[in-house]
Amino acid sequence: MGSAVSDQPVIADEPAQSWQYDRSRAPVAVKVLVAGGFGVGKTTFVSSVSEITPLRTEAVMTEASLPTDDLSATPDKHTTTVAMDFGRITLDDDLVLYVYGTPGQERFWFMWDDLVRGAIGGIVLADTRRLRDSFPALDYFESCGLPYAVAVNHFEGTRSYEPEDVREALSVPAHVPVVIMDARSRRTVVESLLTLVAHALDGTPE
């Protein structure tokens, strides 16, 4: 997927924001994960939203990966994340998100156990052309009890689906948010993160 980044500013009082923080206190820093299948757009997601130069741990793909990495939906992909992507975004002056993108290939999944420590929630990034690739991330977050949201990364030229259609196809529980977004668009990435944080806070005992 392309890496174009939208220059649209973040609007602090968007309707999607159903919670508020006390501006008199110090900023709260929280960690969130972005997981999903190979080539689903995790690196683009982190890069689109980060206010700092994102940390990437990408390696050039070689012929040795052909038997295990399916490039049918991403023929122009030449690199892959081998450890993590990392970015940071400040929301509404008093909330800082540290966003970690996980590696997508099964041979790098051992990194997930380290990345999940201290996270308040995760986003499962999904591609409707390869929904089955979302199940490992869904199963992982379910097994460790981490609140999560599903963000469908809509690729150009692909069929559009309603969130409820995706929910049914993935058997996502009714309380889990499902949103349609574009990983290249800063605005829709921010909205996805706000949805996740609100969902995670709703499930946190006061």
Side-chain angles (χ1 to χ4, degrees):
M1 188 162 186
S3 58
V5 180
S6 171
D7 292 326
Q8 298 183 31
V10 178
I11 302 175
D13 57 354
E14 293 186 47
Q17 190 171 341
S18 60
W19 41 266
Q20 294 182 347
Y21 288 92
D22 183 355
R23 291 178 179 273
S24 65
R25 67 182 185 183
V28 175
V30 298
K31 176 181 181 181
V32 299
L33 299 188
V34 181
F38 169 75
V40 76
K42 297 181 296 295
T43 297
T44 302
F45 183 105
V46 175
S47 299
S48 293
V49 79
S50 183
E51 62 195 15
I52 62 173
T53 301
L55 169 65
R56 300 174 179 174
T57 56
E58 293 190 305
V60 176
M61 299 178 63
T62 66
E63 292 184 0
S65 70
L66 293 179
T68 55
D69 296 329
D70 181 8
L71 295 177
S72 58
T74 55
D76 297 326
K77 185 174 178 61
H78 303 293
T79 62
T80 184
T81 299
V82 296
M84 67 175 181
D85 298 307
F86 170 75
R88 185 190 72 198
I89 177 172
T90 302
L91 300 175
D92 201 25
D93 296 333
D94 53 8
L95 178 65
V96 178
L97 298 186
Y98 294 112
V99 185
Y100 289 78
T102 67
Q105 298 95 321
E106 184 175 357
R107 59 187 180 277
F108 299 126
W109 285 355
F110 66 91
M111 291 292 301
W112 291 19
D113 288 337
D114 289 328
L115 293 175
V116 77
R117 294 174 184 170
I120 67 161
I123 285 181
V124 178
L125 204 58
D127 179 351
T128 55
R129 298 170 297 179
R130 299 172 292 146
L131 281 179
R132 66 183 182 276
D133 293 348
S134 304
F135 286 113
L138 291 170
D139 291 343
Y140 184 83
F141 289 154
E142 287 280 1
S143 66
C144 64
L146 190 72
Y148 67 92
V150 176
V152 179
N153 188 14
H154 180 64
F155 286 77
E156 291 181 5
T158 63
R159 179 179 173 182
S160 298
Y161 292 88
E162 294 297 323
E164 291 308 309
D165 294 332
V166 177
R167 180 188 304 280
E168 181 177 355
L170 293 176
S171 299
V172 175
H175 70 278
V176 174
V178 179
V179 299
I180 310 297
M181 48 80 67
D182 183 339
R184 299 168 301 175
S185 167
R186 178 181 175 86
R187 178 182 60 81
T188 64
V189 172
V190 169
E191 290 175 349
S192 300
L193 290 169
L194 288 172
T195 298
L196 169 64
V197 173
H199 175 58
L201 291 178
D202 285 343
T204 301
E206 295 183 359

